[in-house]
Amino acid sequence: MTSRITKAVIPAAGLGTRFLPATKAMPKEMLPVVDKPAIQYVVEEAVEAGLTDVLMVTGRNKNALENHFDRVAELEASLEAKGDTVKLAKVNESTDLADMHYVRQGDPLGLGHAVLRARMHVGQEPFAVLLGDDIIDARDTLLTRMLDEQVARDASIVALLEVDPDSIHLYGAAAVEPTDEPDVVRITGMVEKPAKEVAPSNYAVIGRYVLKPEVFEILEHTEPGKGGEIQLTDALMTMANDVEGTGGVFGVIFRGRRYDTGDKLDYIKAVIQLAADRADLGPELRPWLVEYAAGLDTV
Ligand code: UTP
């Protein structure tokens, strides 16, 4: 199925407090995962799924993000003069990826508020939202599947990952009903960061969404929720409960590899996993890791 959706919104305006002091003067989305900033993986994923119009929602310290997707004349000239085409290609990788646009979120009032900042740019079309600190392994397809489901069901789509019950309190948890497809469920409710005892399921909402434009009007009227922030989860719940007006919300269950680079431990794991799989680093890193791990105590 060919999707008519072309726009991706990438919120990258959070304060990144879990990663201080690294994020004091730099957005967490710029932290390198092996040798690329996390945000470049996310933009590459959008482009791979056919979304060539990318709107990034930035906050303070936005310069590094914009600069990364812009030309850098001095560096290019210097590498050109040296004839270093390999490094020059690396510099240019992120420059010509997509048609990049930026909008500022003055105060980080929550993910819902960040998405609302995209209203003017997106207009009346369905669009994708990719969180800038969430990486989906390029070898696993998720977004294309979600885009197809959006077109097929004319509904909003979220990505779900089955997590350990002990970690559900870190996510939004979804109450679900089966559909005619094994990897798609209908969302009947959502709870932001629930205690394990009250979580409606172990299905966590992860950082990929394909939303209908009706979400903007709902976000305009969404009051601040948990943590005083305007929560996207609250707007999604309203949509899930208004199937007639909005088409409802469905979840695509993802069983691939996902890395949360906004969390310190997950970030470390992501760097190790992705580096170990790389042809240029893996052959030396893997035996070293095995030797290193053999000498470790688990406590
Ligand atoms: P997080 O809750 O992980 O981001 O938001 P945070 O607030 O920066 O994290 P900590 O807890 O302080 O470390 C998920 C995504 O939504 C964006 C973030 O940049 C991240 O990509 N976000 C969050 C915004 O763009 N604006 C906001 O107001 C909040």
Side-chain angles (χ1 to χ4, degrees), residues 11-18 28-29 57 105 108-111 114 131-133:
L15 295 177
T17 56
R18 282 170 293 163
K28 65 176 165 182
E29 290 81 3
V57 184
Q105 183 189 19
L109 299 178
L111 179 57
L131 298 196
D133 57 354

Side-chain angles (χ1 to χ4, degrees), residues 173-176 186-191 200-201 205 233 236-237 240-241:
V176 301
R186 198 172 82 77
I187 308 280
T188 57
M190 272 177 160
V191 189
S201 75
V205 179
T233 304
L236 287 168
M237 243 177 64
N241 291 327

